[in-house]
Each structure stands twice: as C-alpha cells, then as structure tokens.
Amino acid sequence: MSQLNIKIQDKSYPQGAKKAPKQVIKDLKITLGKDEFVCLVGPSGCGKTTLLNILAGLDNQYTGSVKLTPEQLSPKVGYVFQNPRLLPWRTVLENLQLASNAKLETLDFLLESMGLGAEKESFPEHLSLGMSRRISIIRAFATDPDLLLMDEPFVSLDPPTARQVRQLLVDLWRKRPHKVLYVTHDLREAISLADRLIFLDSQPMSVISEVVVNIPREQRMDEATIEQFKQQLFVDYPEITKLL
Amino acid sequence: MEFIQRPSILAPLSISLFFILWYGLAVFLNSDTLPDPITVTHVLIHEIQTGDLPFHLGKTLYRLVISFSIAMCLGCAIGIVLGRHKNLDYFFDNWLVIFLNIPALVTIILCYVWFGLSETAAILAVVINKLPNVTITIREGTRALDKELLELAECYRFGKLKTLRHVIWPQLHPFVMAATRSGLALIWKIVLVVEMLGRSDGMGYQLHLFFQLFDVASILAYTIAFIAIIQAIELLILKPLDKRAQRWRK
C-alpha cells in the first residue's frame, strides 16, 4: 500500500542582509494513506500555500523530503490552485490535454461528471468562475496524480455554487480515488470533505491536532450533522479554537 | 449624417481628402518640385510597364524580408533569454543601450567599410539597427509574463517547448506584433539608406538617382508603390494574424 510521507524540517524566507531568515515551517510531519482525503485547517498566513508549493515541486528551497513509500519516489502532483489558472487562449479541452496525457474518452468522462460536457470547445474567458474552478479540478484528476493538492479551490464562490461544486468534487473523488491534501480555513467545509483533519498553528507552521472525521459520507451534506461535529470538536480539542 | 461616421466611409473619405489637398496645392504652386497626383500616377504606371519599378521594389522587399526575419528571430530569442534571466539582463543591459544609440548611418558605413559593399554587409547593417528594438520590446514582454501560469506549466511538467509555445508565446503576442509593426516601419527606411550608400539596385538606389535628376514625380511614384505594399502586408498578413490570436477574448 503506497503512502506519502511529508517531512519538512525547515522552510525559511530570507529577510534581507541584516535580519535573520523568517522560519515558516519547522519539523512538520504529515503522512497520507492510500486514497485518503486530508484537510489542512489553519489561520491565514500560516504557510499552507508555501507547503503546497513545496509539495508541488514549485519551491525547492527547504530542508526535508516528500516521498512515496515503499517506492521512495517523488509524487506526481495534480494542483488545484486558488485561482483556476487556465490558459485563456486555449480551449477547455486543450487546457486539459496540455496538462495530461489522458485519452479523449477519459477527458469526456471527467467533463461529463462535472457537468461540463458541452463546454469542451469553449475558451475560459467565456465561462463563469464556478465552471473554471471545475475545469481546474478536472485537470488535476486527468493527470492521474499520486497526490492531489487543493488550495482553497472554492473561495469567493457564492455558497450555493460552492456547495454544488464541493459535492461534484466528492462524487468525482469517490469514482476516481486519490490521495488529497485540501487546504481551507473553513472548518465546516473541511468536515464535509475530509477523512482526517489536520490543524496547523503558525509562525512556524506545526501540527497541533489531528482528528479523524467518522461521519459516513452519505451524511456529509447534512448541515446539522456537520454543525454538531464541529461543536464537539471545540469541546474535545479546545486548542483549535484560537485558529478559527 | 450617421452613415458618415462609419469606418467604411471615413477611411476612403480621409484618403480622398488627402489627394484633393495634394492636387489643390500642386495646382496652386504650379512647380516641378510638387507634381499633382495624376502626373505621379502616370509615372507610376509607366515605371511598372517598363519593369523598373517591380525590379527595384522586389530587390528592396527581398532585403527587407531577409533582414526583418533575422532581426525578429534573433531579437525574440535574446529578448526572452534576457527577460527570464536577471543576471544576463544586468550584464547586457549596457550593450543594448549602446547599440540602441548608435546612429543607423554609422552602422551602415562601418558594415560597408569592414565587410565591403556586399549584400551580406547591407543586410547585416539593417539587422544590427533593428535588433536592439526587438530585443527590448520582447524583454519587456517577457518580464511581464504571468508567473502563476509559469508555475502551472512547471507543476504540470509541460517541458520547455510546450511552455514556450502554449504559455509564453501567446502572452508575448502583443509585444511581437508591436515589434513587427514598428520594425517594418523602421527597417524599410534603413534599407533605403543602405541601398543609397552601397548598392546598385533597389529603391534606395533609384531614389538617389531621381534626386540627382530632380525627378520628384518618380520619387513620389516609388514612395506610393512602397506604401501600398506595406499597407497590403498590414491588411493581408498582420491584421488576420491579430484576429486569429485574439479569438479567445470575450
């Protein structure tokens, strides 16, 4: 069974010649099991995006390792950025084909799953933000990655659209399971999506609590159940209150 | 009055006004130094019929195409490299300023002195004159590239060629078009000087000949022919290219 081990001893940013470097991450250890959906919850500016950039291979200036075991390989990553980052001059289908080698049937299946079957020849500028977000999710899945990174992908969507896209994401993930590391500061969203929650403190980033979400998937759309779980969390883990 | 405001009416109207003013001024001055448009048209037709104008215009266009292509390709490549690598940019920035400020005439004379009155020297002189402009325009475009899209290409392992073709080049398109348009306007003027100083054919050579004969009608006829060609390049090549590249916009 392949598992992902993330060990980051140090990630610092230089602050000019006179100041000492600012340490953003210190001795962070996270393990992801096969097809596990993990949500990272932490305050704004705690270094979540920095962590995702390290995992995506966009930032190599750190001490530590990110390896799949037992293969000891660097994971192939699919990244859903906060902003969809679609190439505006390429059609939806071209955007997907550029990022992945998936067959046309696979891309058609993914587009249909996300309700975008009719938009594959459209240019991104002609689509709504919600549609663009869905395409960036499809792009990440289409690469068939070892690890899916999602950086608050539903931020700035109106609540009904966010709920709809979140459900589509869960449906797609259940059809095509992958390891997911999902960053959010919305605890309700995290509870509705994750198998496990990891709470992060800032300056420097470190794990303060880990919680398994044992609500059956079928009940995750029920607001009352989510709210009840959330309230219980505050009782069982009082240290997370300051993060939210 | 509304129909007058349409672009399809305005453009021919303004051109007609230009020729009417020219004609009026020529009749008013009644001088050999400013022939009227009808005389110039007769000369133009005569020069085309004798084959002189197509021959010399062809020579100039050949030099323009070769030097323009070399300057654009080299300028784009150097501009992208300088825009992407800060240290190289710092190192070569002064070189660019030096080349940008060398007068065109000096480059042309030096090329002829060093390499002889040859076709290669002529084309090299034009390329050296144009290269810094293209490089600087493309370098500015490269500096303004969207870093988020470059990260996307890196994260999804596009590779260098795919990144250049699908991420960098479409963003540079407006800068390339600006360099192309200013390049065409600049290069053909330089080509004429190059031909005037060191070639025995081409428009520059002919214009020099007409100048010695004070044949203003022929000078204007050649100028009109060349402007018509440049306009045709704009309408038949550049505008359709622009339209195609912009089709994704709302």
Side-chain angles (χ1 to χ4, degrees), chain A residues 56-58 75-76 78-79 81 83 85-90 98-99 123 125-126 139-140 143, chain B residues 147-152 154-158 162 165-168 170-171 245 247-250:
Chain A
L58 299 175
K76 186 171 137 192
Y79 198 160
F81 300 91
N83 159 349
R85 301 196 193 182
L86 300 173
L87 300 175
W89 40 84
R90 296 286 178 262
L98 277 169
F123 286 100
E125 285 220 348
H126 301 175
R139 180 175 58 195
T143 56
Chain B
K147 287 194 174 58
E148 291 198 340
L149 293 181
L150 293 172
E151 277 183 0
L152 165 85
E154 194 183 340
C155 173
Y156 282 99
R157 302 175 186 183
F158 278 22
K162 224 164 149 184
R165 185 176 162 207
H166 298 285
V167 182
I168 295 178
Q171 292 185 69
R247 72 193 197 282
W248 54 273
R249 290 191 192 277
K250 264 185 191 171

Side-chain angles (χ1 to χ4, degrees), chain A residues 42-197:
Chain A
S44 294
C46 78
K48 298 184 297 272
T49 303
T50 303
L51 173 64
L52 293 200
N53 285 343
I54 288 174
L55 299 178
L58 299 175
D59 186 345
N60 299 317
Q61 307 291 311
Y62 69 99
T63 316
S65 67
V66 180
K67 295 282 180 205
L68 289 164
T69 51
E71 302 93 331
Q72 289 300 311
L73 294 170
S74 297
K76 186 171 137 192
V77 166
Y79 198 160
V80 182
F81 300 91
Q82 224 172 74
N83 159 349
R85 301 196 193 182
L86 300 173
L87 300 175
W89 40 84
R90 296 286 178 262
T91 64
V92 167
L93 187 63
E94 287 166 344
N95 265 283
L96 299 178
Q97 287 174 325
L98 277 169
S100 80
N101 296 319
K103 287 180 184 166
L104 193 57
E105 302 90 79
T106 311
L107 296 178
D108 280 338
F109 163 79
L110 291 168
L111 283 164
E112 289 296 339
S113 308
M114 281 288 199
L116 290 166
E119 302 295 345
K120 66 178 182 181
E121 297 303 332
S122 303
F123 286 100
E125 285 220 348
H126 301 175
L127 304 175
S128 67
L129 181 61
M131 288 163 129
S132 299
R133 290 259 161 89
R134 276 183 273 166
I135 291 158
S136 71
I137 292 171
I138 294 172
R139 180 175 58 195
F141 271 93
T143 56
D144 194 19
D146 301 309
L147 173 65
L148 264 169
L149 301 173
M150 300 196 183
D151 188 5
E152 302 191 74
F154 307 134
V155 76
S156 75
L157 287 183
D158 59 273
T161 310
R163 204 175 306 125
Q164 182 210 6
V165 184
R166 208 178 293 136
Q167 187 54 45
L168 286 168
L169 166 67
V170 172
D171 292 344
L172 185 57
W173 173 72
R174 294 182 80 180
K175 283 178 203 161
R176 299 170 76 90
H178 287 86
K179 289 182 197 66
V180 179
L181 206 53
Y182 187 106
V183 159
T184 181
H185 56 256
D186 178 348
L187 185 54
R188 295 173 67 89
E189 179 179 64
I191 297 168
S192 70
L193 290 170
D195 294 319
R196 186 159 49 105
L197 305 174

Side-chain angles (χ1 to χ4, degrees), chain B residues 21 26 39 46 53 64 71 147 153 171 175 180 204 249:
Chain B
L21 280 176
T39 311
H46 177 256
L53 190 140
L64 186 138
K147 287 194 174 58
Q171 292 185 69
F175 294 89
T180 302
R249 290 191 192 277

Side-chain angles (χ1 to χ4, degrees), chain B residues 13-248:
Chain B
L13 201 69
S14 105
I15 288 284
S16 307
L17 181 67
F18 173 78
F19 279 102
I20 290 167
L21 280 176
W22 175 7
Y23 186 82
L25 197 63
V27 169
F28 175 73
L29 292 175
N30 193 23
S31 159
D32 285 345
T33 56
L34 183 62
D36 63 66
I38 297 168
T39 311
V40 172
T41 309
H42 284 142
V43 174
L44 180 67
I45 293 167
H46 177 256
E47 286 288 317
I48 292 171
Q49 283 169 342
T50 58
D52 280 353
L53 190 140
F55 171 75
H56 291 289
L57 194 60
K59 281 283 181 186
T60 299
L61 279 175
Y62 159 77
R63 287 177 189 126
L64 186 138
V65 169
I66 300 279
S67 51
F68 174 79
S69 307
I70 296 173
M72 284 303 290
C73 290
L74 266 179
C76 284
I78 298 172
I80 290 173
V81 171
L82 295 186
R84 301 276 290 144
H85 298 94
K86 267 188 189 169
N87 287 339
L88 277 177
D89 188 27
Y90 289 140
F91 188 82
F92 286 109
D93 193 42
N94 287 329
W95 289 37
L96 273 179
V97 175
I98 291 169
F99 276 98
L100 205 59
N101 287 294
I102 295 177
L105 199 56
V106 172
T107 325
I108 297 164
I109 292 169
L110 288 179
C111 279
Y112 279 145
V113 170
W114 289 338
F115 306 108
L117 293 174
S118 65
E119 198 66 36
T120 313
I123 286 171
L124 185 67
V126 183
V127 171
I128 291 173
N129 273 301
K130 177 58 191 161
L131 192 61
N133 297 67
V134 183
T135 305
I136 283 176
T137 309
I138 301 300
R139 182 186 67 177
E140 295 312 312
T142 309
R143 280 176 179 169
L145 287 176
D146 186 335
K147 287 194 174 58
E148 291 198 340
L149 293 181
L150 293 172
E151 277 183 0
L152 165 85
E154 194 183 340
C155 173
Y156 282 99
R157 302 175 186 183
F158 278 22
K160 282 191 176 165
L161 267 182
K162 224 164 149 184
T163 305
L164 180 67
R165 185 176 162 207
H166 298 285
V167 182
I168 295 178
W169 193 253
Q171 292 185 69
L172 289 182
H173 181 266
F175 294 89
V176 174
M177 292 311 279
T180 302
R181 291 198 165 96
S182 69
L184 273 179
L186 179 75
I187 280 186
W188 83 265
K189 288 165 192 161
I190 298 170
V191 169
L192 296 197
V193 181
V194 167
E195 289 174 343
M196 196 177 91
L197 288 177
R199 306 306 303 144
S200 54
D201 49 27
M203 271 190 60
Y205 167 79
Q206 282 293 89
L207 289 176
H208 186 51
L209 205 66
F210 296 139
F211 167 57
Q212 287 170 334
L213 302 170
F214 260 65
D215 185 355
V216 180
S218 294
I219 291 174
L220 289 175
Y222 271 69
T223 308
I224 287 172
F226 206 81
I227 289 171
I229 297 276
I230 297 290
Q231 274 298 312
I233 292 173
E234 171 70 27
L235 287 173
L236 301 176
I237 301 173
L238 300 184
K239 283 244 166 85
L241 269 179
D242 253 350
K243 207 174 165 188
R244 191 174 177 278
Q246 303 295 320
R247 72 193 197 282
W248 54 273

